[in-house]
Amino acid sequence: MQQNLKVAVVCASNQNRSMEAHDALLKLGFDTYSYGTGSAVKLPGQTVDRPVTYKFGTPYKTMYDELKETDVDTYTQNGVLAMLERNSRVKLAPERFQDTKNVQWDLIVTFEDRVYENVVDELIMRSSKGLIQSICVVNIPTKDNREDAVVGALLCENLCLELEETPKKEDWIRVIQEFEKTHSLPILHTFY
């Protein structure tokens, strides 16, 4: 079923939380985009204190091939190879939110406060230049691990479905507040 809501989902590296939600929303027929806000893409490395870093725009398949060749056991065990495989089925490469041009969304969902603040800062800059119109930004706090990413994606799906059923954006605040109360979540939200 095709949905009319145009949604962006955003996390730090456009790898785990945003891509889990991107995949889920695409399956529901939403016009979905995903991004990261960090300066680079970071993945768990062979040790906790040494993440693997890539530039935004590096294809997921390239990351997969390199990490598989480097240490297939570690990257299979920690789930990174499975995540990259899923990501490459959804889109070519991670994209940085701040580098997007000429895209208008109805809703932007972030998954941590820091990312929410980065998105809001970018939208403030764009609105001062007249580059955006009527965007709702919502943060669904989600820890950056596989299990919580699945839960965050499910919450994102449910919120998107509820907002899709609410055609007037001025009524979205009420829907978001009810959603926050129902799920006992501290949900940051704002409109631009």
Side-chain angles (χ1 to χ4, degrees):
M1 172 163 80
Q2 180 65 39
Q3 307 290 344
N4 293 320
L5 199 62
K6 195 173 207 176
V7 183
V9 286
V10 188
C11 66
S13 289
N14 196 198
Q15 289 288 342
N16 185 27
R17 295 165 292 179
S18 63
M19 289 303 293
E20 186 69 39
H22 190 159
D23 188 35
L25 291 173
L26 281 178
K27 289 174 182 170
L28 290 176
F30 284 98
D31 186 4
T32 308
Y33 304 80
S34 62
Y35 307 99
T37 59
S39 57
V41 173
K42 293 181 182 174
L43 294 167
Q46 292 172 305
T47 62
V48 176
D49 61 330
R50 300 185 77 181
V52 179
T53 304
Y54 289 96
K55 291 181 180 179
F56 279 96
T58 303
Y60 292 116
K61 177 80 168 97
T62 300
M63 295 179 208
Y64 177 92
D65 291 342
E66 288 178 6
L67 296 178
K68 185 175 179 182
E69 186 176 312
T70 301
D71 186 348
V72 69
D73 292 335
T74 296
Y75 294 113
T76 298
Q77 184 180 359
N78 68 10
V80 170
L81 292 180
M83 179 181 68
L84 291 169
E85 198 169 36
R86 178 216 45 219
N87 295 354
S88 66
R89 287 191 307 267
V90 174
K91 68 182 205 175
L92 177 66
E95 299 171 78
R96 190 165 182 262
F97 180 78
Q98 295 90 328
D99 298 336
T100 61
K101 304 288 183 236
N102 302 320
V103 181
Q104 289 292 326
W105 312 275
D106 299 303
L107 174 67
I108 299 173
V109 179
T110 64
F111 297 95
E112 70 178 276
D113 292 357
R114 174 177 54 100
V115 173
Y116 175 86
E117 292 165 6
N118 290 338
V119 167
V120 168
D121 288 346
E122 180 67 18
L123 293 177
I124 289 170
M125 188 274 304
R126 291 182 188 193
S127 67
S128 71
K129 297 178 180 179
L131 300 175
I132 62 169
Q133 52 187 324
S134 190
I135 299 173
C136 177
V137 184
V138 175
N139 184 64
I140 298 174
T142 307
K143 291 181 183 173
D144 193 7
N145 62 57
R146 174 76 181 123
E147 296 78 21
D148 287 328
V150 171
V151 172
L154 181 60
L155 289 167
C156 182
E157 283 179 25
N158 291 338
L159 181 60
C160 288
L161 289 168
E162 288 184 32
L163 294 176
E164 179 76 17
E165 305 259 329
T166 311
K168 293 183 180 179
K169 283 192 178 178
E170 55 266 22
D171 295 332
W172 282 17
I173 291 174
R174 177 187 48 78
V175 172
I176 293 165
Q177 289 171 337
E178 288 173 10
F179 187 86
E180 178 179 33
K181 185 176 179 182
T182 299
H183 296 285
S184 300
L185 290 171
I187 296 180
L188 300 172
H189 60 280
T190 190
F191 280 86
Y192 285 91

